[in-house]
Amino acid sequence: MMVRPTDFFINVTDFFSVLLPGALVVYFIKGLTFSKMFGSEGVFPAPETALQAWLLFLLATYIIGHITFLLGSLLLDKLVYNKFLRITFFKRNHDLAYHSATLIRQRFIPTDEVLNQIRVTKKIVKDQYQIIKENPNRELLNTYKWVLSYFALHRPEVLAEVKKMEADSKFFRSLVIALLFIGVVLVLQGSGYAVLFFVLMLLSIYRYGDLRYKSTQRAYELILTKFHDKKLKKRAVVPTSHNNVERFQPSNEKTILYKDKISKITAGLSRKSTLLSIEEHNTWASDSRPNPSEFYCIEGKGTIKLLEKNGSDISFLSPGAIINVPPKTAFEISSQKGEPLLLVAVA
Protein backbone atom coordinates (compact mmCIF):
# COMPACT_ATOMS: atom_id res chain seq x y z
CA MET A 1 0.00 0.00 0.00
CA MET A 2 1.44 3.37 -1.00
CA VAL A 3 1.64 5.97 1.75
CA ARG A 4 0.75 9.47 0.57
CA PRO A 5 1.40 12.83 2.31
CA THR A 6 -2.37 13.36 2.60
CA ASP A 7 -2.63 10.27 4.81
CA PHE A 8 -0.94 12.11 7.69
CA PHE A 9 -2.83 14.39 10.04
CA ILE A 10 0.12 16.81 10.18
CA ASN A 11 0.94 18.11 6.71
CA VAL A 12 3.83 20.24 5.53
CA THR A 13 2.01 23.50 6.24
CA ASP A 14 1.21 22.41 9.80
CA PHE A 15 4.82 21.42 10.42
CA PHE A 16 6.35 24.66 9.15
CA SER A 17 3.71 27.19 10.21
CA VAL A 18 2.49 25.66 13.47
CA LEU A 19 5.01 23.29 15.06
CA LEU A 20 8.32 25.03 14.36
CA PRO A 21 7.33 28.55 15.57
CA GLY A 22 5.46 26.95 18.47
CA ALA A 23 8.55 24.97 19.46
CA LEU A 24 10.65 28.15 19.48
CA VAL A 25 8.25 29.95 21.82
CA VAL A 26 7.85 26.94 24.13
CA TYR A 27 11.60 26.44 24.36
CA PHE A 28 12.01 30.13 25.25
CA ILE A 29 9.26 29.96 27.89
CA LYS A 30 10.77 26.77 29.29
CA GLY A 31 13.97 28.60 30.13
CA LEU A 32 12.02 31.34 31.93
CA THR A 33 9.30 29.57 33.87
CA PHE A 34 9.95 25.81 33.97
CA SER A 35 10.92 25.76 37.64
CA LYS A 36 7.88 27.89 38.54
CA MET A 37 5.38 25.76 36.62
CA PHE A 38 6.69 22.24 37.31
CA GLY A 39 7.86 20.56 40.49
CA SER A 40 6.78 20.49 44.10
CA GLU A 41 6.23 24.26 44.20
CA GLY A 42 4.86 24.59 40.68
CA VAL A 43 1.43 24.28 39.11
CA PHE A 44 2.10 20.87 37.52
CA PRO A 45 4.13 17.91 38.76
CA ALA A 46 7.52 17.56 37.08
CA PRO A 47 7.74 14.94 34.30
CA GLU A 48 9.35 11.76 35.63
CA THR A 49 10.58 10.26 32.36
CA ALA A 50 11.99 11.56 29.07
CA LEU A 51 8.88 10.32 27.28
CA GLN A 52 6.62 12.39 29.55
CA ALA A 53 8.83 15.44 29.00
CA TRP A 54 8.68 15.04 25.22
CA LEU A 55 4.91 14.52 25.21
CA LEU A 56 4.48 17.62 27.36
CA PHE A 57 6.77 19.62 25.06
CA LEU A 58 4.91 18.48 21.91
CA LEU A 59 1.52 19.27 23.44
CA ALA A 60 2.63 22.77 24.46
CA THR A 61 4.25 23.26 21.04
CA TYR A 62 1.04 22.31 19.24
CA ILE A 63 -1.12 24.64 21.36
CA ILE A 64 1.25 27.63 21.28
CA GLY A 65 1.89 27.01 17.57
CA HIS A 66 -1.80 27.32 16.73
CA ILE A 67 -2.06 30.50 18.79
CA THR A 68 0.85 32.09 16.89
CA PHE A 69 -0.70 30.90 13.61
CA LEU A 70 -4.03 32.53 14.51
CA LEU A 71 -2.43 35.81 15.58
CA GLY A 72 -0.29 35.87 12.46
CA SER A 73 -3.34 35.35 10.26
CA LEU A 74 -5.33 38.10 12.00
CA LEU A 75 -2.56 40.70 12.24
CA LEU A 76 -0.25 40.14 9.30
CA ASP A 77 -2.70 39.11 6.57
CA LYS A 78 -5.26 41.85 7.13
CA LEU A 79 -3.11 44.71 8.41
CA VAL A 80 0.52 44.27 7.40
CA TYR A 81 0.29 42.51 4.02
CA ASN A 82 -2.94 43.89 2.54
CA LYS A 83 -2.50 47.48 3.72
CA PHE A 84 1.29 47.90 3.62
CA LEU A 85 3.48 45.20 2.06
CA ARG A 86 1.21 44.51 -0.92
CA ILE A 87 0.91 48.19 -1.80
CA THR A 88 4.47 49.26 -1.00
CA PHE A 89 6.65 46.39 -2.24
CA PHE A 90 4.61 43.87 -4.20
CA LYS A 91 2.28 45.68 -6.60
CA ARG A 92 3.96 44.98 -9.92
CA ASN A 93 2.88 45.25 -13.55
CA HIS A 94 -0.47 46.74 -12.47
CA ASP A 95 -1.59 43.32 -11.15
CA LEU A 96 -2.40 42.17 -14.68
CA ALA A 97 -1.97 38.49 -13.79
CA TYR A 98 -4.49 38.82 -10.95
CA HIS A 99 -7.05 40.70 -13.06
CA SER A 100 -6.72 38.20 -15.93
CA ALA A 101 -7.13 35.23 -13.59
CA THR A 102 -10.18 36.92 -12.06
CA LEU A 103 -11.83 37.14 -15.49
CA ILE A 104 -11.35 33.38 -15.91
CA ARG A 105 -12.79 32.74 -12.44
CA GLN A 106 -15.85 34.84 -13.33
CA ARG A 107 -16.56 32.50 -16.24
CA PHE A 108 -16.99 29.64 -13.76
CA ILE A 109 -18.40 31.53 -10.77
CA PRO A 110 -20.23 34.66 -12.03
CA THR A 111 -20.72 36.57 -8.78
CA ASP A 112 -23.36 39.02 -10.01
CA GLU A 113 -25.43 36.32 -11.65
CA VAL A 114 -25.43 34.11 -8.54
CA LEU A 115 -26.13 37.13 -6.36
CA ASN A 116 -29.13 38.01 -8.52
CA GLN A 117 -30.45 34.44 -8.28
CA ILE A 118 -30.12 34.58 -4.48
CA ARG A 119 -32.06 37.86 -4.46
CA VAL A 120 -34.79 36.46 -6.71
CA THR A 121 -35.25 33.47 -4.38
CA LYS A 122 -35.47 35.94 -1.45
CA LYS A 123 -32.57 34.39 0.45
CA ILE A 124 -31.41 37.94 1.20
CA VAL A 125 -33.46 41.10 1.68
CA LYS A 126 -33.31 44.08 -0.67
CA ASP A 127 -31.11 46.18 1.67
CA GLN A 128 -28.55 43.37 2.01
CA TYR A 129 -28.51 42.91 -1.77
CA GLN A 130 -27.90 46.61 -2.31
CA ILE A 131 -25.03 46.71 0.20
CA ILE A 132 -23.32 43.75 -1.49
CA LYS A 133 -23.96 45.16 -4.96
CA GLU A 134 -22.32 48.48 -4.06
CA ASN A 135 -19.15 46.73 -2.89
CA PRO A 136 -16.67 46.84 -5.83
CA ASN A 137 -14.73 43.88 -4.33
CA ARG A 138 -17.72 41.56 -4.02
CA GLU A 139 -16.91 37.93 -4.79
CA LEU A 140 -18.18 34.50 -3.79
CA LEU A 141 -14.67 33.02 -3.75
CA ASN A 142 -11.43 34.95 -4.07
CA THR A 143 -9.37 34.28 -7.17
CA TYR A 144 -6.39 32.66 -5.44
CA LYS A 145 -8.54 30.14 -3.55
CA TRP A 146 -10.50 29.39 -6.71
CA VAL A 147 -7.30 28.63 -8.63
CA LEU A 148 -6.15 26.26 -5.87
CA SER A 149 -9.57 24.54 -5.84
CA TYR A 150 -9.60 24.23 -9.64
CA PHE A 151 -6.20 22.54 -9.82
CA ALA A 152 -6.91 20.41 -6.72
CA LEU A 153 -9.84 18.91 -8.67
CA HIS A 154 -8.24 18.68 -12.13
CA ARG A 155 -4.44 18.73 -11.85
CA PRO A 156 -3.31 18.51 -8.18
CA GLU A 157 0.29 17.71 -9.13
CA VAL A 158 0.89 21.20 -10.53
CA LEU A 159 0.20 22.78 -7.13
CA ALA A 160 3.38 21.44 -5.50
CA GLU A 161 5.40 24.59 -6.16
CA VAL A 162 2.58 26.91 -5.05
CA LYS A 163 1.93 24.89 -1.90
CA LYS A 164 5.61 24.92 -0.95
CA MET A 165 5.81 28.71 -1.21
CA GLU A 166 2.52 29.04 0.68
CA ALA A 167 3.83 26.81 3.50
CA ASP A 168 7.06 28.82 3.68
CA SER A 169 5.17 32.12 3.79
CA LYS A 170 2.97 30.87 6.63
CA PHE A 171 6.09 29.71 8.51
CA PHE A 172 7.56 33.22 8.38
CA ARG A 173 4.17 34.70 9.27
CA SER A 174 4.02 32.64 12.48
CA LEU A 175 7.72 33.23 13.10
CA VAL A 176 7.07 36.99 13.17
CA ILE A 177 4.67 36.54 16.10
CA ALA A 178 7.13 34.25 17.92
CA LEU A 179 10.03 36.68 17.48
CA LEU A 180 7.85 39.62 18.53
CA PHE A 181 6.86 37.82 21.74
CA ILE A 182 10.45 36.92 22.59
CA GLY A 183 11.66 40.44 21.80
CA VAL A 184 9.02 42.07 24.03
CA VAL A 185 9.84 39.74 26.93
CA LEU A 186 13.54 40.52 26.56
CA VAL A 187 12.82 44.28 26.53
CA LEU A 188 10.88 43.90 29.78
CA GLN A 189 13.87 42.07 31.23
CA GLY A 190 16.24 44.78 30.05
CA SER A 191 18.20 42.47 27.75
CA GLY A 192 20.10 43.88 24.80
CA TYR A 193 19.39 40.71 22.81
CA ALA A 194 15.92 42.12 22.14
CA VAL A 195 17.37 44.16 19.26
CA LEU A 196 18.52 40.97 17.53
CA PHE A 197 15.03 39.45 17.69
CA PHE A 198 13.36 42.63 16.43
CA VAL A 199 15.73 42.74 13.44
CA LEU A 200 14.97 39.09 12.69
CA MET A 201 11.28 39.92 12.99
CA LEU A 202 11.49 42.71 10.39
CA LEU A 203 13.39 40.46 7.98
CA SER A 204 10.79 37.72 8.52
CA ILE A 205 7.97 40.16 7.76
CA TYR A 206 9.51 41.00 4.39
CA ARG A 207 10.23 37.37 3.57
CA TYR A 208 6.64 36.44 4.47
CA GLY A 209 5.29 39.11 2.10
CA ASP A 210 7.70 38.09 -0.66
CA LEU A 211 6.75 34.39 -0.48
CA ARG A 212 3.03 35.11 -0.25
CA TYR A 213 3.16 37.37 -3.31
CA LYS A 214 5.17 34.80 -5.29
CA SER A 215 2.78 31.97 -4.39
CA THR A 216 -0.27 33.94 -5.59
CA GLN A 217 1.49 35.10 -8.76
CA ARG A 218 2.57 31.56 -9.58
CA ALA A 219 -1.01 30.35 -9.13
CA TYR A 220 -2.30 33.05 -11.49
CA GLU A 221 0.39 32.19 -14.06
CA LEU A 222 -0.65 28.52 -13.97
CA ILE A 223 -4.35 29.22 -14.58
CA LEU A 224 -3.59 31.72 -17.36
CA THR A 225 -1.27 29.24 -19.07
CA LYS A 226 -3.86 26.49 -18.73
CA PHE A 227 -6.66 28.41 -20.43
CA HIS A 228 -4.44 30.07 -23.02
CA ASP A 229 -3.27 26.59 -24.02
CA LYS A 230 -6.91 25.53 -24.43
CA LYS A 231 -7.54 28.41 -26.84
CA LEU A 232 -4.49 27.50 -28.92
CA LYS A 233 -5.57 23.89 -29.23
CA LYS A 234 -9.01 24.67 -30.58
CA ARG A 235 -10.21 28.00 -31.93
CA ALA A 236 -13.86 28.96 -31.91
CA VAL A 237 -15.93 28.75 -35.10
CA VAL A 238 -17.71 32.08 -35.55
CA PRO A 239 -20.69 32.35 -37.88
CA THR A 240 -21.18 36.06 -38.46
CA SER A 241 -24.75 36.36 -39.64
CA HIS A 242 -28.15 35.85 -38.07
CA ASN A 243 -29.06 33.99 -41.27
CA ASN A 244 -26.98 31.06 -39.98
CA VAL A 245 -29.31 30.42 -37.05
CA GLU A 246 -30.30 27.09 -38.64
CA ARG A 247 -26.77 25.89 -37.88
CA PHE A 248 -27.61 25.94 -34.17
CA GLN A 249 -30.86 23.99 -34.14
CA PRO A 250 -30.87 21.43 -31.26
CA SER A 251 -31.23 17.69 -31.81
CA ASN A 252 -34.56 15.99 -31.16
CA GLU A 253 -33.04 14.12 -28.21
CA LYS A 254 -32.05 17.33 -26.47
CA THR A 255 -35.43 18.94 -27.17
CA ILE A 256 -37.25 15.96 -25.65
CA LEU A 257 -34.93 15.89 -22.62
CA TYR A 258 -35.83 19.47 -21.66
CA LYS A 259 -39.41 19.44 -22.99
CA ASP A 260 -41.07 20.33 -19.67
CA LYS A 261 -38.66 23.14 -18.85
CA ILE A 262 -38.98 24.62 -22.34
CA SER A 263 -42.78 24.50 -22.09
CA LYS A 264 -42.75 26.38 -18.78
CA ILE A 265 -40.53 29.12 -20.25
CA THR A 266 -42.50 29.58 -23.47
CA ALA A 267 -45.97 29.28 -21.91
CA GLY A 268 -47.93 32.50 -22.39
CA LEU A 269 -45.31 34.22 -24.55
CA SER A 270 -46.78 36.33 -27.31
CA ARG A 271 -43.51 36.70 -29.16
CA LYS A 272 -41.85 34.02 -31.26
CA SER A 273 -39.45 31.70 -29.43
CA THR A 274 -36.59 29.67 -30.94
CA LEU A 275 -34.42 26.92 -29.47
CA LEU A 276 -30.67 27.31 -29.98
CA SER A 277 -27.98 24.73 -29.29
CA ILE A 278 -24.45 26.16 -29.41
CA GLU A 279 -21.81 23.46 -29.12
CA GLU A 280 -18.50 23.97 -27.32
CA HIS A 281 -16.06 26.43 -28.91
CA ASN A 282 -18.78 27.83 -31.19
CA THR A 283 -20.05 31.39 -31.38
CA TRP A 284 -23.28 32.69 -32.85
CA ALA A 285 -23.03 36.30 -33.97
CA SER A 286 -26.13 38.34 -34.74
CA ASP A 287 -26.55 41.73 -36.37
CA SER A 288 -28.61 44.36 -34.57
CA ARG A 289 -32.36 43.84 -34.52
CA PRO A 290 -35.15 46.42 -34.41
CA ASN A 291 -36.85 44.69 -31.46
CA PRO A 292 -35.51 43.61 -28.06
CA SER A 293 -34.58 39.97 -27.46
CA GLU A 294 -34.42 37.70 -24.45
CA PHE A 295 -32.35 34.57 -23.93
CA TYR A 296 -33.17 31.92 -21.33
CA CYS A 297 -30.29 29.56 -20.57
CA ILE A 298 -31.40 25.96 -20.01
CA GLU A 299 -28.10 24.09 -20.19
CA GLY A 300 -24.37 24.78 -20.38
CA LYS A 301 -22.12 27.75 -19.72
CA GLY A 302 -20.90 30.58 -21.89
CA THR A 303 -20.97 34.31 -22.51
CA ILE A 304 -23.07 36.85 -24.40
CA LYS A 305 -21.30 39.97 -25.63
CA LEU A 306 -23.40 43.04 -26.43
CA LEU A 307 -21.68 45.11 -29.13
CA GLU A 308 -22.65 48.70 -28.38
CA LYS A 309 -21.37 51.97 -29.82
CA ASN A 310 -19.44 52.90 -26.70
CA GLY A 311 -17.89 49.44 -26.28
CA SER A 312 -18.91 45.89 -25.45
CA ASP A 313 -20.62 44.44 -22.38
CA ILE A 314 -20.12 40.76 -21.48
CA SER A 315 -22.57 38.73 -19.38
CA PHE A 316 -22.09 35.14 -18.27
CA LEU A 317 -24.54 32.38 -19.12
CA SER A 318 -25.36 29.39 -16.92
CA PRO A 319 -28.56 27.40 -16.28
CA GLY A 320 -31.31 29.73 -15.06
CA ALA A 321 -29.76 32.92 -16.44
CA ILE A 322 -31.98 35.39 -18.30
CA ILE A 323 -30.28 37.97 -20.52
CA ASN A 324 -32.05 40.90 -22.17
CA VAL A 325 -30.69 42.37 -25.42
CA PRO A 326 -31.86 45.92 -26.17
CA PRO A 327 -33.16 46.77 -29.64
CA LYS A 328 -30.65 47.78 -32.33
CA THR A 329 -27.83 45.98 -30.51
CA ALA A 330 -25.58 43.39 -32.18
CA PHE A 331 -24.37 40.53 -30.02
CA GLU A 332 -22.32 37.32 -29.90
CA ILE A 333 -23.11 34.18 -27.87
CA SER A 334 -20.23 31.77 -27.17
CA SER A 335 -20.09 28.47 -25.32
CA GLN A 336 -17.27 27.17 -23.12
CA LYS A 337 -15.31 23.97 -23.62
CA GLY A 338 -17.29 21.00 -22.39
CA GLU A 339 -20.34 23.22 -21.71
CA PRO A 340 -22.56 23.34 -24.85
CA LEU A 341 -25.35 25.89 -24.52
CA LEU A 342 -29.06 25.28 -24.90
CA LEU A 343 -31.02 28.54 -25.06
CA VAL A 344 -34.58 29.71 -25.62
CA ALA A 345 -34.45 32.88 -27.72
CA VAL A 346 -37.48 35.16 -27.62
CA ALA A 347 -37.70 37.97 -30.18
Side-chain angles (χ1 to χ4, degrees):
M1 181 178 177
M2 183 179 294
V3 179
R4 298 170 297 176
T6 52
D7 294 331
F8 293 94
F9 290 107
I10 298 177
N11 57 30
V12 175
T13 302
D14 289 332
F15 180 77
F16 279 99
S17 60
V18 175
L19 296 183
L20 290 184
L24 176 63
V25 175
V26 170
Y27 191 74
F28 175 75
I29 294 175
K30 176 179 177 294
L32 293 176
T33 64
F34 184 83
S35 60
K36 297 178 182 179
M37 294 188 65
F38 298 95
S40 58
E41 298 181 358
V43 179
F44 302 102
E48 298 178 358
T49 64
L51 178 60
Q52 289 179 354
W54 272 108
L55 289 175
L56 187 63
F57 179 79
L58 290 175
L59 176 62
T61 293
Y62 189 73
I63 295 172
I64 297 298
H66 272 287
I67 293 174
T68 60
F69 185 91
L70 174 63
L71 292 175
S73 176
L74 292 175
L75 298 178
L76 271 73
D77 283 354
K78 298 182 182 299
L79 300 178
V80 178
Y81 183 80
N82 290 342
K83 296 187 178 181
F84 176 69
L85 290 176
R86 184 74 174 85
I87 299 172
T88 307
F89 298 107
F90 305 115
K91 191 168 185 177
R92 300 167 187 166
N93 198 27
H94 306 286
D95 287 338
L96 291 180
Y98 163 74
H99 293 305
S100 300
T102 300
L103 288 176
I104 296 174
R105 185 209 71 197
Q106 282 282 16
R107 289 166 51 186
F108 289 84
I109 309 178
T111 300
D112 289 344
E113 179 183 316
V114 175
L115 179 61
N116 187 57
Q117 291 176 359
I118 294 173
R119 181 185 64 83
V120 170
T121 56
K122 297 183 179 180
K123 300 296 183 181
I124 57 175
V125 298
K126 184 177 180 181
D127 292 342
Q128 292 174 324
Y129 172 79
Q130 197 60 37
I131 292 173
I132 299 173
K133 194 72 175 176
E134 291 174 357
N135 180 9
N137 298 319
R138 61 186 179 276
E139 55 187 9
L140 298 175
L141 184 68
N142 75 49
T143 302
Y144 178 67
K145 289 182 179 179
W146 174 80
V147 172
L148 296 185
S149 299
Y150 179 89
F151 281 115
L153 290 173
H154 300 284
R155 293 285 301 279
E157 67 277 7
V158 306
L159 288 177
E161 183 182 0
V162 175
K163 285 294 186 181
K164 182 182 182 304
M165 286 189 288
E166 183 182 55
D168 288 341
S169 72
K170 290 181 178 179
F171 163 71
F172 280 101
R173 186 183 69 186
S174 296
L175 185 62
V176 168
I177 302 300
L179 294 172
L180 175 63
F181 172 77
I182 295 173
V184 170
V185 173
L186 291 177
V187 166
L188 295 176
Q189 292 182 338
S191 173
Y193 285 108
V195 176
L196 172 63
F197 284 92
F198 284 131
V199 171
L200 290 174
M201 181 194 72
L202 292 176
L203 293 174
S204 297
I205 288 175
Y206 183 85
R207 184 55 176 160
Y208 148 71
D210 179 53
L211 287 166
R212 173 165 174 171
Y213 176 78
K214 287 179 178 178
S215 68
T216 56
Q217 287 298 110
R218 184 58 182 148
Y220 302 149
E221 290 167 2
L222 287 170
I223 201 70
L224 290 174
T225 304
K226 170 75 174 174
F227 282 89
H228 179 68
D229 183 56
K230 283 185 176 182
K231 290 181 179 179
L232 290 178
K233 286 180 180 178
K234 192 171 184 181
R235 296 287 185 178
V237 178
V238 184
T240 57
S241 172
H242 176 61
N243 295 329
N244 287 331
V245 68
E246 292 79 9
R247 175 191 179 96
F248 301 105
Q249 295 301 308
S251 63
N252 290 331
E253 292 81 3
K254 185 169 288 190
T255 303
I256 294 172
L257 180 63
Y258 292 101
K259 180 180 178 181
D260 292 340
K261 186 175 288 189
I262 295 170
S263 297
K264 289 180 181 179
I265 293 174
T266 57
L269 291 178
S270 58
R271 291 181 291 166
K272 179 182 178 182
S273 62
T274 306
L275 273 179
L276 298 174
S277 179
I278 303 177
E279 296 301 318
E280 59 177 323
H281 290 303
N282 273 251
T283 297
W284 175 47
S286 173
D287 297 330
S288 60
R289 305 176 177 190
N291 299 318
S293 304
E294 293 176 357
F295 292 91
Y296 298 79
C297 184
I298 298 175
E299 177 191 58
K301 292 182 179 179
T303 59
I304 179 168
K305 181 190 292 186
L306 304 184
L307 306 175
E308 301 171 331
K309 292 182 179 180
N310 56 351
S312 60
D313 181 30
I314 299 178
S315 298
F316 294 91
L317 295 168
S318 63
I322 303 173
I323 304 296
N324 296 309
V325 179
K328 300 180 181 180
T329 302
F331 59 88
E332 296 177 355
I333 301 177
S334 304
S335 63
Q336 295 180 4
K337 180 180 179 181
E339 297 284 353
L341 284 167
L342 180 63
L343 305 168
V344 175
V346 181

